[in-house]
Amino acid sequence: QVHLVESGGGSVEAGGSLRLSCAVSGSYGARNYCMVWLRQAPGKKREGVAGLDSDGTTFYADSVKGRFTISKDKAKNILYLEMNRLKPEDTAMYSCAADFCWWAVVAGLPAGDTASWGQGTQVTVSS
């Protein structure tokens, strides 16, 4: 069983930066797994923000390309989302998920039974 805990959210002004963390405990045994960051704003559908495949390939939503960076510290087992040049439209609850791959997110597929989710961290960007 994998357990995820997000942190790092907060309130910033437009143009500011935040770094979200997703601490991972547990494992899926010996196999590698994908991870993604998703967000959901009030009244809107959940959307993929960034993904990290098990081979290290990264993916980004068009709306955040060039501003956000997904990475993972393997030694600490922490997934990060570095967010720069934040915009008011980035305001949302951000969540990380494990064993849920970017290709599934963009295809609109639900997470599988083995996926794990964090509780979310709120990001608010004021204009």
Side-chain angles (χ1 to χ4, degrees), residues 5-23:
V5 178
E6 298 101 332
S7 60
S11 297
V12 296
E13 293 186 350
S17 299
L18 284 173
R19 188 177 75 162
L20 305 184
S21 299
C22 173

Side-chain angles (χ1 to χ4, degrees), residues 3-77:
H3 184 57
L4 308 177
V5 178
E6 298 101 332
S7 60
S11 297
V12 296
E13 293 186 350
S17 299
L18 284 173
R19 188 177 75 162
L20 305 184
S21 299
C22 173
V24 183
S25 58
S27 72
Y28 289 102
R31 69 177 179 86
N32 295 318
Y33 51 90
C34 306
M35 294 196 73
V36 294
W37 282 101
L38 305 106
R39 67 186 181 188
Q40 187 166 20
K44 294 188 177 182
K45 290 178 59 177
R46 188 180 66 195
E47 62 175 353
V49 177
L52 179 67
D53 269 3
S54 57
D55 65 356
T57 304
T58 58
F59 304 90
Y60 298 94
D62 288 343
S63 59
V64 306
K65 276 181 185 175
R67 299 189 298 123
F68 290 12
T69 303
I70 187 172
S71 64
K72 189 176 183 184
D73 185 324
K74 293 182 179 180
K76 296 181 179 178
N77 216 6

Side-chain angles (χ1 to χ4, degrees), residues 4 14 40 50 72 77-78 81 84 86 96 102 105 119 121:
L4 308 177
Q40 187 166 20
K72 189 176 183 184
N77 216 6
I78 299 176
L81 185 67
N84 298 312
L86 283 160
C96 60
W102 184 253
V105 171
Q119 82 289 351
T121 185

